Amino acid sequence: MDEMQLARSAARGELRAATELVDRFYERIYAFLRRLAGSESDAADLTQKTFTRVWSALPRFAGRSTLSSWLHGIAGHVWQDWRRANHRLESRSDAWWAELADDQRGPDAAVAAADLATTVYAAVDRLDPEPRQAVHLHYYQGLTLEETSEALGIPTSTLKYRLRTAVQELRSRVIERPSAVGTLNLVQRP
């Protein structure tokens, strides 16, 4: 069910849609409020208040934004109201913010990783057939060295040699690319 259908169904009082909406967004809203409030109990209370406000506002959701951004906007307003009402306007130290750091990589890192992956995949496709097949089986398919050598019908020592030379060739191709970011690590399988 897409977001607009989900919002409309939940606004009509359909229990299944309301449950799905909470299942999809509760953890994200809670994490957002946990970061802002600085405590798990406050974040839980604020998340409950957010969804209470969502149920009354849901009939007015027009779909001009994503449901996620709309919900996060409501959560932000709930947090601001809570902060004002409880005189929680004190500033937070850098150490406090560091403790609440988001452990997910940002969009810049995701784009850089995707760009590097595209470059590596293209470089692998330009390898000679034998090393390309070894790379695909071992790194992309996740076969062990023994399984890969068995699948290719070659000794493990030959496989290791092919993989080592393939990785060296790929590193040189990727590092020579002017816009390459980071280093080549084929161990991180897609």
Side-chain angles (χ1 to χ4, degrees), residues 11-173:
R12 286 192 302 268
E14 292 180 22
L15 182 58
R16 194 177 94 230
T19 302
E20 185 176 341
L21 190 142
V22 172
D23 287 346
R24 276 194 201 180
F25 296 102
Y26 187 90
E27 288 183 25
R28 287 191 271 175
I29 297 299
Y30 172 82
F32 173 65
L33 291 168
R34 168 66 179 90
R35 171 106 166 110
L36 293 175
S39 106
E40 292 179 8
S41 61
D42 288 335
D45 290 342
L46 292 170
T47 303
Q48 292 301 317
K49 288 178 184 179
T50 297
F51 279 99
T52 299
R53 198 175 287 182
V54 163
W55 301 132
S56 62
L58 204 50
R60 296 186 303 276
F61 177 66
R64 289 188 297 270
S65 64
T66 65
L67 186 57
S68 178
S69 63
W70 184 74
L71 292 169
H72 280 83
I74 291 174
H77 289 294
V78 166
W79 173 75
Q80 287 174 350
D81 292 347
W82 169 80
R83 199 179 84 177
R84 284 186 199 117
N86 292 301
H87 306 290
R88 296 179 188 271
L89 300 176
E90 72 277 1
S91 62
R92 304 287 185 182
S93 69
D94 289 341
W96 184 86
W97 285 107
E99 286 180 26
L100 298 175
D102 186 3
D103 60 352
Q104 295 185 2
R105 64 181 180 185
D108 56 336
V111 168
D115 181 50
L116 181 58
T118 300
T119 301
V120 170
Y121 297 149
V124 167
D125 287 343
R126 289 191 307 273
L127 289 172
D128 289 334
E130 290 176 345
R132 181 175 61 233
Q133 191 175 19
V135 167
H136 276 284
L137 289 172
H138 183 64
Y139 292 111
Y140 293 177
Q141 298 301 316
L143 299 181
T144 65
L145 289 171
E146 291 76 22
E147 292 168 331
T148 304
S149 64
E150 186 178 317
L152 294 174
I154 59 173
T156 305
S157 60
T158 304
L159 173 65
K160 288 179 181 179
Y161 175 78
R162 285 183 188 173
L163 290 173
R164 186 173 44 254
T165 57
V167 168
Q168 288 171 345
E169 185 176 339
L170 292 170
R171 278 195 176 125
S172 68
R173 288 181 183 184

